[in-house]
Amino acid sequence: MSTRISQPDNVAMKGGYWLATKGTMDVIAAAAPLVMDALDCMDTEAADSPFCLTDMGCADGGSSMHLVRKVVQTVRRGSPDREISVVYTDQPRNNYNALFRLLHSVDESSVQSYFEEFQRLYVLASGTSFYEQLVPNRSLDFGFSCTAMHWLHSKPSDISEHVHAVGATGDELLTFKRQAAVDWETILLHRAAELKDGGRLVLVNFCRDAEGRHLGNTTGVNMFDTFNQLWCSMLSEGEITQAEYVSMTLPQYYNTLEEFGAPFEDSGSAVSRAGLTLEHAQTKVVECPFRAEFAQHGDAAQFARDYVPTLRSWSESTFHGALSASRSEEDRRRLVDDFYGAYRALVEDNPAQHRMDYVHAYLTIAKSSS
Ligand SMILES: C[S@@+](CC[C@H](N)C(=O)[O-])C[C@H]1O[C@@H](n2cnc3c(N)ncnc32)[C@H](O)[C@@H]1O
């Protein structure tokens, strides 16, 4: 019997990803010291097999391009002849064309590909979800992922009065929390199977930090509350139906450091028995780059024009997918455009209140012999 899972159809990034979400480059830059520390702890000179690196949830690979270059340079410094494979992974609907165009420098781009800089470097891509095993048993040296694992395997339920688990309460919140715990264990157990002994993971995942901050909720208005308020007003104006509003729920959950750490706490847990230990865990806030630019140029209309597409890039597919299939495609597009247009107007009216600072957990995980 097949154990393959299906990913919700409506979780997809829009094309031109890294340009719209340039803040993730800063998030990845902040992970570079951890990645270098992890490589330092590994025996990267063991040249009996190729060094294998995965970038899980890579989108178009633009934001991790420089980090992958640094990993390859570091491995090659100790082992100049070692073959290296880089496996980019994402969902089946990801824009792999954009990934290969960047990697092979097909178009002009401000992101410089590393591909031509190295020999014996093999770059592959996989459309398999990180909720499945991605590479053969004990073949992975280093697994990386940034800003991807907050997407749950599937939506456990709708949230009746909000669009995101950060606004859920009671049993609805508990349902999301439980699903996220199962999903986190699934991710870890697959990685445990893939990793060679001594291998490392650096996972940079959205989180809720000790002060309760999370993406779009650091200071000023809460971005997810704003999403919710805008859809609620479209509901009260009769623009969308109650059923559509309820299914706007994003299939995401932001773990706390405690929730990320829980499977490692108990030496008898499946994750511990699989040989994984948590070596490092911290949270970091990375400033919204659009907001930082606004502080320089002071033009509210430009800020709104630049900023709202970054929210749209990752939320639109869920919101569009929640609108009834009985509507014409034109009507669905119009509603989604109206929604982001209304968000843009809010930002323009009161720019000082808006920002999407990134709040991440930076985790290093090691595999020992099991
Ligand atoms: C916000 S983007 C992050 C892209 C890149 N890692 C970065 O940091 O800029 C999230 C990516 O995760 C991918 N993703 C979501 N769920 C996934 C899954 N189950 N397996 C693989 N990729 C997934 C999305 O398709 C998307 O490309």
Side-chain angles (χ1 to χ4, degrees):
M1 194 178 74
S2 169
T3 55
R4 303 230 165 231
I5 53 93
S6 63
Q7 187 73 10
D9 258 5
N10 58 356
V11 179
M13 301 296 297
K14 298 285 280 181
Y17 164 76
W18 76 267
L19 271 176
T21 60
K22 55 187 174 177
T24 60
M25 287 197 134
D26 300 333
V27 173
I28 292 182
L34 270 191
V35 170
M36 294 303 121
D37 285 351
L39 292 175
D40 267 356
C41 296
M42 293 167 59
D43 179 12
T44 54
E45 294 180 25
D48 54 334
S49 67
F51 182 94
C52 176
L53 154 73
T54 50
D55 179 0
M56 296 167 279
C58 60
D60 63 12
S63 37
S64 63
M65 195 70 83
H66 188 55
L67 184 78
V68 175
R69 171 187 284 108
K70 283 180 90 151
V71 172
V72 175
Q73 282 170 340
T74 305
V75 173
R76 280 288 163 75
R77 210 168 293 134
S79 192
D81 294 327
R82 192 164 183 194
E83 290 184 306
I84 297 177
S85 58
V86 178
V87 184
Y88 285 102
T89 84
D90 207 286
Q91 302 179 97
R93 286 168 192 261
N94 183 52
N95 187 352
Y96 293 97
N97 220 334
L99 167 70
F100 289 119
R101 291 180 82 89
L102 267 184
L103 194 71
H104 295 288
S105 310
V106 174
D107 311 301
E108 286 280 303
S109 168
S110 54
V111 172
Q112 192 64 40
S113 170
Y114 57 79
F115 185 74
E116 295 292 339
E117 297 168 17
F118 304 98
Q119 302 292 310
R120 298 175 300 288
L121 173 70
Y122 306 96
V123 179
L124 313 163
S126 161
T128 303
S129 161
F130 48 62
Y131 288 112
E132 297 193 60
Q133 190 167 332
L134 298 163
V135 293
N137 283 342
R138 294 179 183 268
S139 67
L140 177 66
D141 290 272
F142 183 73
F144 178 74
S145 181
C146 185
T147 315
M149 293 174 171
H150 55 289
W151 288 107
L152 297 173
H153 165 269
S154 53
K155 183 161 66 171
S157 74
D158 284 322
I159 297 170
S160 48
E161 291 179 2
H162 211 280
V163 296
H164 197 280
V166 294
T169 52
D171 284 349
E172 289 179 345
L173 176 58
L174 209 57
T175 305
F176 270 75
K177 185 180 162 70
R178 284 196 187 117
Q179 169 88 40
V182 170
D183 286 0
W184 180 227
E185 182 182 72
T186 302
I187 287 171
L188 292 172
L189 291 178
H190 284 311
R191 304 298 80 79
E194 294 166 353
L195 280 167
K196 298 174 185 172
D197 291 348
R200 296 288 191 285
L201 304 170
V202 170
L203 307 179
V204 182
N205 295 340
F206 279 146
C207 72
R208 285 171 291 133
D209 74 5
E211 292 166 50
R213 296 177 296 184
H214 58 75
L215 179 78
N217 178 40
T218 47
T219 170
V221 301
N222 179 324
M223 175 187 69
F224 288 108
D225 286 349
T226 310
F227 279 160
N228 189 47
Q229 283 149 16
L230 286 173
W231 283 123
C232 280
S233 36
M234 289 174 77
L235 172 64
S236 58
E237 283 157 18
E239 289 272 337
I240 60 166
T241 65
Q242 179 68 27
E244 286 173 321
Y245 166 69
V246 168
S247 58
M248 295 285 172
T249 304
L250 287 147
Q252 301 186 349
Y253 187 82
Y254 299 160
N255 283 305
T256 59
L257 274 193
E258 290 67 36
E259 287 166 333
F260 280 126
F264 304 95
E265 290 292 310
D266 168 10
S267 59
S269 74
V271 167
S272 298
R273 281 186 281 115
L276 296 188
T277 51
L278 183 60
E279 284 190 330
H280 180 89
Q282 72 178 115
T283 62
K284 289 189 197 187
V285 178
V286 169
E287 187 185 15
C288 173
F290 301 100
R291 176 55 199 224
E293 282 171 14
F294 172 62
Q296 299 298 316
H297 62 63
D299 180 339
Q302 186 185 329
F303 172 40
R305 260 197 321 275
D306 294 344
Y307 171 63
V308 173
T310 202
L311 318 186
R312 187 168 183 158
S313 69
W314 52 265
S315 58
E316 176 172 7
S317 59
T318 300
F319 295 150
H320 177 267
L323 294 169
S324 167
S326 67
R327 292 181 185 271
S328 67
E329 182 48 26
E330 197 187 4
D331 196 26
R332 292 168 92 190
R333 289 264 129 245
R334 178 189 61 78
L335 286 165
V336 169
D337 285 347
D338 287 354
F339 170 79
Y340 291 106
Y343 206 124
R344 218 172 35 242
L346 288 180
V347 177
E348 209 173 319
D349 282 354
N350 196 355
Q353 285 302 308
H354 292 270
R355 57 197 305 136
M356 190 185 81
D357 293 333
Y358 295 85
V359 184
H360 281 88
Y362 289 69
L363 310 168
T364 305
I365 295 162
K367 163 88 185 280
S368 57
S369 15
S370 39

